[in-house]
Amino acid sequence: MSAMSDTGTHFRTETDSDNIVWLHFDKAGSGTNTFSTEALHELDQQLQSIAARCPRGLVFLSDKPNGFIAGADIESFTRIETEAQALDFLQLGQSVFNRLATFTVPTVALIHGFCLGGGTELALACRYRVARDDPGTRLGLPEVRLGIHPGWGGSARLTPLVGGLKAMDLMLTGRTLAGRQAKRIGLVDRVVPERHLRTAARRLILEAPAAARPGLIDRLSNSSIARPLLAEVMRRQVAKRAPRAHYPAPYALIDIWRNHANDTGAMLEAEAQSVARLINDPTARNLIHVFFLQEQLKGLGRDSDYKPKFVHVVGAGTMGGDIASWCALRGFQVSLQDQAPERIAPAMQRAHALFKRKLKKPREIQAAMDRLLPDHKGIGVARADIVIEAIFEDAEVKRGLYRELEPRMKNDAILATNTSSIPLEELAESLSRPGQLVGLHFFNPVAKMQLVEVVNGASTAAEVSARALAFTRQIDRLPLPVTSTPGFMVNRILMPYLMEAVTLESEGVAANLIDQAATDFGMPMGPVELADTVGLDICLHVAQVLASHFNAKIPERLQQLVADGRLGRKSGRGFYEYRKGKAVKPKISGSDAQLEEISDRLMLRLLNEAVSCVREQVVGSDDLLDAGMIFGTGFAPFRGGPMHYIRSTGPAALQARLQQFTSRYGERYTADPGWESLFNAQGD
Ligand code: NAI
C-alpha cells in the first residue's frame, strides 16, 4: 500500500494511494510506546512535515503488539525537580497535541491494546477514534492514581466530547474502558474487529462524517448552572475514597472543570498549571515511587522460561479453594483435593461465582469450570507441575501429608505451602527432597490481594524459588521474595500494630477511634476492623507463633474474645457487632491530640518491626519491604511505604518518639538496633 515512506527514530510514515498518511509510533529501545520529551519533539516535527504535504487525512497507529500508547514516560517525571520544569514538559505535550487537533484534514487514532493517559489525550486530539473490539483493548485517563490529573488536554477535550459527568467519572476514578464501553459513552467512534481496523480508519477519512456530539443531558452537565452543584456531589463522592489532605489531585481537577468547562483555552492553561504544581507534591512523588515498586515486583521472574501447566491444590478451604479457582481463571489446569467431596463443593460454587464475575461470557465461564477438577482422591498429584498445600495450620498434619504426597509427585514438581506462620525448615523435615519445598503465601481474599510472599527456606533450591516467582507472575500476582522467619514479612510487621490496637481497646479507647486514627494516617481499614475481618482466631494463632519467637505478650482481651466464640465478622461479633456484614460503629469522637497519640502508638510499632525486618534481611531491600506492605496490606500508598515514610519523616524524630513511648508504655517500644544504620545512611 505504501507509496512513500519516511522513517525517524520513534515514528515512521507511509502514504497510501489515497494520499492518506499512516503515522506509526514504534518507540525505539522499548516494548511499549510512551511519550518522552524526545519522542514529543520528533512527533512535532513529523506533524509539521505531514501538514506541509497536504494529505487527504492522517491515521495515527502503534506498531507495538501490546498496545497503542501507555501514556507519558513516567521515568521522565522523576527527573522533574521544579514547577517550571514540569510546566515546560506539560506545555510541550499540549503544543504537539494542539498541532494535531488543529489539522484541517481528518485525523484518526487507530487504537489496539492499552491506550492510557497521554495515549488517550493524543487520541482525543484526533477528530475520530477507532478501537479494536477485544477485551485487551483498554482506554482511560488513570493519572489520579499517580497523584496528578490529565495535563495534555485530556480534561479540556474529554469533557465537551462525552459530557462533564461521564468525563469526570472516568478521570476521577482512573478506571479504564474496553472499546465497546468507550463507544457507549462516545469516547470512540467505531469499535471493530482487528481485521476491519484499517478499513474503518480509511472510511472515516474518505467519508469525513460530522464529529460526534454528546446528547443533551451530557451537554447540560457542562453548563454553568449545573457545574457548581455537580462539583459538590463529585467532591463528596471523592472524599469517601480519597481525603483531600492526602490526595489533592481529584479536587484540583473538579475545580478546573467547575471554573473553566466550555473554555478550551482556559482549561488547557489551568490543567497544565495544576499538574505542574501537583507533580512536585509529596503525594504524587510517592505514588510515582509506588508505581515503580510495582514494576519492580512485576519484573521478578521475568527471565524464567518455566512453563508449568498443571496445578494441584490440597485443601479446599478458604484459601485453597480460592487459590485453585484463581489459577484456573488464569488458564491453568487445576485439580482440587480435600478430605471428602462435600468439602470441595463450596469451593466449586465460589469458583463459579468468580468466573461469572470476571469472565461474563458463558463459553469462557464453562471453559474455566472445565479447567478446575474436584479431585478428592488426589489423582492430579501425579501429573502436577506445582502442588500447593493449603490445609490446616498444623506442622505435624502438614508433614504427614507431605509424606504421602512426595512419592507420588513428579521428580521436578514444586511443593508450595501456603502456611502463614510455620517456618519452612520445620515442614521440610519430612521430605526426601527438601529443596523442592517453597512457600507461596497468598493473602485473603485471594482474588483481591495482589501480593504473594515467596518464602525461601534454608533448603529451598534456588531454581525452585525462581520458578515460584515466575509462576506467581503467570497467575498475575505480585511476588515478594522473603526468608522463612516467623510470620515471614507482612504478618510480622502487621502483627505488633494489630496487637497495639487490641491493647488500646482493652485500655478503654473506643474501637472506632483507634480505627479512625489509622485511616486518618491513610490505612485503608482500621486495625480493629481488620482483625475482625481476618478472624480473631486466625489473628490469635499468628500472634501466638510470633510471640513465642519474639518473646512478646498477647493481650488477654484477644484470647478472651476467641474463647467466647467472638471471632469477628464471620461470627457476627468480634470487637464490633456486625449487621448484614457491616460493623456497627458507635459515634465517639476524640480530640486531635488523642488521635495523634493513638496513631503514633500504632504506627511506631509497625515501623519499628519494619526496621527490624530490614536489619535481619527478611527482604532484599527497603523498596521491596515498602512494596510488600503496600500491596499486601494497603499501607498508605501516598506515603510511599513504611521505610520511605521513615526516611521522609526523619528517623531521628521517630526514634525520639520511640524513646518517649518506651518510658510511657514499656519495653515493646524499644528501638530496634536497625535504626542506627538508618541514621548513618541519612548522615544524622
Ligand atoms: P480452612 O480450615 O478454611 O481449610 C483447610 C482445608 O484443608 C479444610 O477444608 C480441610 O478439610 C482440608 N484438609 C485438612 N487436612 C487435609 C488433608 N490431610 N488432606 C486434604 N485436605 C485437608 O483453612 P484456611 O484458612 O484455608 O488455611 C489454609 C492454610 O492457609 C493454612 O496453612 C493457613 O495458615 C494459611 N493461610 C490462611 C489465611 C487466611 O486468611 N485464612 C491467609 C494466608 C494463609
Side-chain angles (χ1 to χ4, degrees), residues 314-320 337-339 343 389-393 397-398 401 418-421 441-444 534 538:
V314 192
T318 312
M319 296 304 290
Q337 179 185 347
D338 205 304
Q339 290 158 327
R343 296 235 177 192
E389 169 275 306
I391 66 165
F392 304 136
E393 186 74 342
V397 178
K398 286 187 196 277
L401 175 71
N418 185 46
T419 177
S420 46
S421 58
H441 181 216
F442 289 80
F443 293 83
N444 188 12
V534 168
I538 292 181

Side-chain angles (χ1 to χ4, degrees), residues 56-338:
R56 179 84 181 258
L58 166 67
V59 181
F60 191 103
L61 68 167
S62 151
D63 282 354
K64 302 290 186 204
N66 65 1
F68 184 66
I69 303 168
D73 170 18
I74 297 175
E75 193 77 48
S76 55
F77 290 178
T78 58
R79 290 190 289 273
I80 292 174
E81 281 169 8
T82 63
E83 209 172 305
Q85 284 171 346
L87 202 57
D88 280 349
F89 188 52
L90 287 153
Q91 284 170 342
L92 171 66
Q94 284 199 355
S95 72
V96 181
F97 292 2
N98 284 348
R99 189 184 297 287
L100 181 58
T102 47
F103 260 48
T104 47
V105 296
T107 51
V108 178
L110 200 54
I111 299 160
H112 73 274
F114 47 75
C115 170
L116 303 173
T120 299
E121 293 179 296
L122 176 124
L124 285 165
C126 292
R127 193 185 299 174
Y128 310 107
R129 284 148 296 281
V130 176
R132 190 171 71 186
D133 186 11
D134 68 347
T137 293
R138 309 291 311 178
L139 294 94
L141 291 161
E143 285 87 341
V144 280
R145 299 192 177 174
L146 294 179
I148 53 174
H149 57 70
W152 282 342
S155 68
R157 295 201 171 92
L158 186 63
T159 44
L161 183 70
V162 304
L165 268 183
K166 289 174 183 156
M168 292 298 282
D169 172 60
L170 203 63
M171 292 185 286
L172 292 174
T173 58
R175 71 197 172 94
T176 58
L177 304 177
R180 285 183 194 203
Q181 293 169 301
K183 169 92 171 41
R184 220 170 292 140
I185 70 160
L187 169 55
V188 302
D189 302 271
R190 302 278 186 273
V191 188
V192 294
E194 165 89 41
R195 63 185 186 283
H196 296 319
L197 277 175
R198 282 176 173 252
T199 315
R202 183 175 289 111
R203 281 184 63 175
L204 280 168
I205 301 255
L206 297 179
E207 292 168 13
R213 267 181 57 127
L216 179 67
I217 295 183
D218 290 328
R219 283 206 305 279
L220 281 179
S221 70
N222 277 327
S223 72
S224 54
I225 302 172
R227 280 190 330 249
L229 298 170
L230 291 175
E232 198 40 48
V233 176
M234 288 173 195
R235 277 188 208 106
R236 258 184 270 136
Q237 274 169 351
V238 169
K240 286 187 203 146
R241 300 188 302 268
R244 187 192 281 262
H246 299 155
Y247 296 97
Y251 300 91
L253 179 63
I254 295 170
D255 289 345
I256 292 170
W257 172 73
R258 183 201 182 280
N259 298 335
H260 305 293
N262 296 334
D263 180 346
T264 307
M267 204 138 162
L268 284 170
E269 167 88 30
E271 261 187 21
Q273 299 281 357
S274 170
V275 176
R277 250 190 326 272
L278 289 166
I279 211 165
N280 287 303
D281 188 85
T283 294
R285 294 221 170 265
N286 290 340
L287 290 177
I288 290 165
H289 172 67
V290 172
F291 171 85
F292 287 113
L293 293 181
Q294 186 173 24
E295 291 296 295
Q296 200 179 335
L297 294 189
K298 280 186 181 171
L300 295 173
R302 189 173 279 164
D303 301 334
S304 166
D305 53 8
Y306 183 50
K307 294 266 174 325
K309 279 205 200 81
F310 297 105
V311 179
H312 182 77
V313 181
V314 192
T318 312
M319 296 304 290
D322 288 3
I323 293 168
S325 59
W326 185 259
C327 294
L329 177 77
R330 304 301 310 173
F332 284 86
Q333 294 289 338
V334 184
S335 40
L336 178 58
Q337 179 185 347
D338 205 304

